[in-house]
Amino acid sequence: MKVLKFGGTSLADRQRFEEAANLVHEAARDGRVVVVASAVAGTTNRLSALIETSNRIDVDWKDEVCVVERQHLEVLATLPLQCRNPAARSIQTIIEVLRNDLRALAADPANRKEIADRVLAVGERLSVQLLAATLQSKGRAARVIDAADAVVTDSFFGEARVDFEATRRRCRRLFAGRDTATSIVTGFIGADRHGRTTTLGRGGSDFTAAVLGAVLDVERVEIWTDVDGVLTAPPQLVPSVSSIPWLSYEEAAELSFFGAKVLHPQTVGPLAERGIPIHVRNTLEPARRGTEITAHSGARNRVVATSAFEEVTAFRLRDVFLGSVDEVLMLCRASSDGTTLVAVPSSRAGSLIEQFEIEDHFAASIVTLVGHDIALQPWVAGRALESLARRGIAVRSFAAGASPHTVALLVERDDLENALCTVHDALMLDRETLAVSRRNLKTEKKEIRHVSAA
Ligand code: ADP
Ligand code: ASP
Ligand code: MG
């Protein structure tokens, strides 16, 4: 069995749904497939904006809801009636529930967070209808599964944590037997023990694919997106990126933690534990190889990628307060005055600045270099710092060795793009070199097997 996850960018319009359905249809010829779908591109942002403005009397949400409804119904327009009608009816029911929830939010109820999660979940609940109907129009049976029936979470609305054991029990029942219909599951959502819909955090559909992959112990998980796999840097910041053919779980986990948006940060862990390969592929160019993530790195002692945690706030904090700060991204304790430089995600900085009455803080970003054991290679930090110095970019803090696979540099936010391009171009290896090291790695493994057999 395989899990195929399609991101919102791969489900942007009718044409993309056709392409995604073709890929599923093709994969289902070779064996059982479970599909995880995100919301249509832009829908979750729209729903989030509706939640934000729901209790403002000057903002009318009705038109916006009509736009969402029309956009989804349009995807069905060219499908045969027997596929289109049931999906259209389900869409109308989901939109009706959305309207009721928005009315409830406008009244500012006590259970606001719970309702907000139901509103956010609408995007995935709509898109699975479209994908199932498109697949059915190709002659393949498809059934929609609402992840609220499959993924069991705690009640932390907005960023719920998954209970893997309870989810495994549910999924065994749901996916048991030799069902010939392809299951299309909503990404991003789950439900707590009381059956209340929860969400797993933005970008969480990748994590849904990982959760299902792990509890169903599938042979692989494919993440279908809009780029050629994991790239050597965020493409919107660095023009000279290339695709990485192979990554280890550890490298992929470091990259996604430090801002490579292509994978939700929690995706790698559950699959790495079971040795399930992750294949990141491009829906627009399905013939390209993409990135294969397994236990083995494509290149040892080399920088394979760079990434950026963009929105960071840094400040000095008295050491006695350190214990009460969670979500620290970087710490630097090298002063005589009992203070430590702390870098946290900017989204969490406001309350800390207020709580500790911090006057001096600055907008920063963390640029990371990732590669197997690179923190142990003296040349990596040396070349990175030198390349930045040549461009006159100040490194405000530096960390290597917390993970042997990551070197992190704190720079001022205004320097981010320049710093990332500089270290990327100074340290990245080209694809050919990576392929050569991969071949060496294979030879190395053969030799090891040979020795142990003797
Ligand atoms: P999806 O809708 O498929 O989940 P996302 O927008 O969440 O897609 O993630 C894919 C995007 O991640 C890419 O379009 C790219 O802009 C961004 N990205 C950031 N860093 C990387 C990276 N290192 N490799 C690939 N993509 C990256
Ligand atoms: N639709 C959700 C989001 O936009 C989840 C996802 O796309 O992975 O965050
Ligand atoms: Mg995503």
Side-chain angles (χ1 to χ4, degrees):
M1 194 191 282
K2 272 204 282 193
V3 172
L4 269 62
K5 178 261 171 177
F6 292 90
T9 43
S10 305
L11 302 173
D13 52 33
R14 200 185 310 166
Q15 176 65 24
R16 294 281 172 80
F17 271 95
E18 275 290 322
E19 288 158 5
N22 285 337
L23 290 167
V24 174
H25 194 39
E26 204 49 45
R29 283 189 221 279
D30 296 338
R32 221 168 140 195
V33 162
V34 171
V35 179
V36 173
S38 291
V40 168
T43 308
T44 314
N45 286 346
R46 281 207 152 111
L47 295 165
S48 175
L50 284 171
I51 295 165
E52 292 281 301
T53 54
S54 59
N55 50 8
R56 276 181 40 193
I57 40 170
D58 57 324
V59 180
D60 186 4
W61 47 263
K62 295 191 186 71
D63 288 348
E64 187 68 356
V65 172
C66 286
V67 172
V68 171
E69 183 177 20
R70 211 174 322 118
Q71 189 192 20
H72 286 79
L73 290 175
E74 264 167 21
V75 174
L76 298 173
T78 54
L79 299 184
L81 282 182
Q82 71 272 22
C83 306
R84 191 201 316 167
N85 283 350
R89 277 196 296 276
S90 302
I91 286 174
Q92 276 148 2
T93 309
I94 296 163
I95 293 286
E96 213 30 64
V97 174
L98 171 65
R99 289 200 172 99
N100 287 339
D101 278 336
L102 288 171
R103 274 184 212 110
L105 276 181
D108 205 12
N111 57 344
R112 207 178 151 75
K113 286 190 171 161
E114 179 187 337
I115 303 175
D117 260 9
R118 269 204 314 268
V119 170
L120 282 182
V122 161
E124 275 68 12
R125 287 183 164 146
L126 293 173
S127 71
V128 287
Q129 298 295 336
L130 303 182
L131 191 54
T134 314
L135 199 55
Q136 284 155 357
S137 74
K138 297 185 184 299
R140 182 159 296 277
R143 61 165 180 165
V144 161
I145 293 187
D146 193 310
D149 297 324
V151 177
V152 183
T153 70
D154 64 10
S155 307
F156 199 75
F157 296 106
E159 212 130 350
R161 283 164 296 236
V162 171
D163 177 337
F164 277 81
E165 266 321 303
T167 302
R168 179 171 293 117
R169 286 194 295 274
R170 288 269 181 92
C171 286
R172 277 211 188 117
R173 281 201 302 275
L174 267 174
F175 296 92
R178 293 200 50 77
D179 194 347
T180 47
T182 300
S183 304
I184 316 282
V185 190
T186 52
F188 181 52
I189 70 181
D192 69 4
R193 288 178 181 282
H194 309 287
R196 296 178 299 183
T197 297
T198 53
T199 61
L200 309 179
R202 293 304 305 269
S205 297
D206 299 328
F207 184 41
T208 307
V211 170
L212 295 183
V215 301
L216 296 171
D217 203 18
V218 298
E219 73 206 54
R220 67 199 283 109
V221 170
E222 294 181 2
I223 304 285
W224 288 87
T225 185
D226 63 341
V227 285
D228 283 343
V230 183
L231 306 172
T232 53
Q236 61 279 29
L237 294 176
V238 178
S240 54
V241 292
S242 58
S243 173
I244 308 167
W246 299 281
L247 271 179
S248 68
Y249 293 124
E250 286 153 322
E251 290 163 340
E254 289 295 311
L255 281 174
S256 60
F257 177 80
F258 281 109
K261 195 185 161 216
V262 66
L263 285 178
H264 181 274
Q266 283 173 277
T267 309
V268 177
L271 299 172
E273 262 177 41
R274 289 159 188 84
I276 300 170
I278 310 168
H279 195 177
V280 185
R281 304 182 68 179
N282 189 345
T283 335
L284 305 169
E285 300 281 357
R288 300 224 178 124
R289 63 182 309 158
T291 302
E292 187 88 30
I293 303 168
T294 64
H296 305 291
S297 172
R300 280 162 188 268
N301 308 332
R302 297 274 187 276
V303 178
V304 290
T306 58
S307 69
F309 203 113
E310 294 184 39
E311 306 285 322
V312 172
T313 300
F315 45 81
R316 280 178 206 291
L317 193 66
R318 296 271 312 281
D319 290 352
V320 287
F321 298 136
L322 268 181
S324 44
V325 183
D326 51 7
E327 294 230 33
V328 171
L329 294 168
M330 242 172 117
L331 280 180
C332 177
R333 171 75 167 94
S335 72
S336 59
D337 63 359
T339 61
T340 293
L341 182 75
V342 183
V344 297
S346 296
S347 56
R348 311 284 161 149
S351 53
L352 294 171
I353 288 168
E354 204 174 302
Q355 182 183 353
F356 299 115
E357 298 175 359
I358 294 158
E359 279 168 16
D360 281 341
H361 50 88
F362 61 94
S365 296
I366 297 176
V367 170
T368 45
L369 308 170
V370 173
H372 186 89
D373 274 355
I374 58 161
L376 313 175
Q377 312 301 316
W379 63 271
V380 173
R383 199 180 292 173
L385 291 170
E386 193 195 346
S387 67
L388 293 171
R390 281 182 194 280
R391 293 281 186 103
I393 300 169
V395 173
R396 300 289 302 262
S397 185
F398 172 85
S403 151
H405 314 305
T406 304
V407 168
L409 306 146
L410 186 78
V411 297
E412 286 175 25
R413 178 94 47 83
D414 289 344
D415 288 332
L416 167 64
E417 216 165 315
N418 205 353
L420 192 60
C421 290
T422 302
V423 294
H424 178 269
D425 294 351
L427 285 121
M428 284 309 311
L429 298 168
D430 59 22
R431 275 194 209 196
E432 218 167 72
T433 323
L434 288 171
V436 169
S437 0
R438 178 74 181 184
R439 277 200 295 280
N440 289 345
L441 185 69
K442 279 190 182 150
T443 326
E444 224 173 80
K445 269 195 261 152
K446 263 189 225 141
E447 278 163 10
I448 292 168
R449 256 201 302 275
H450 185 68
V451 169
S452 53

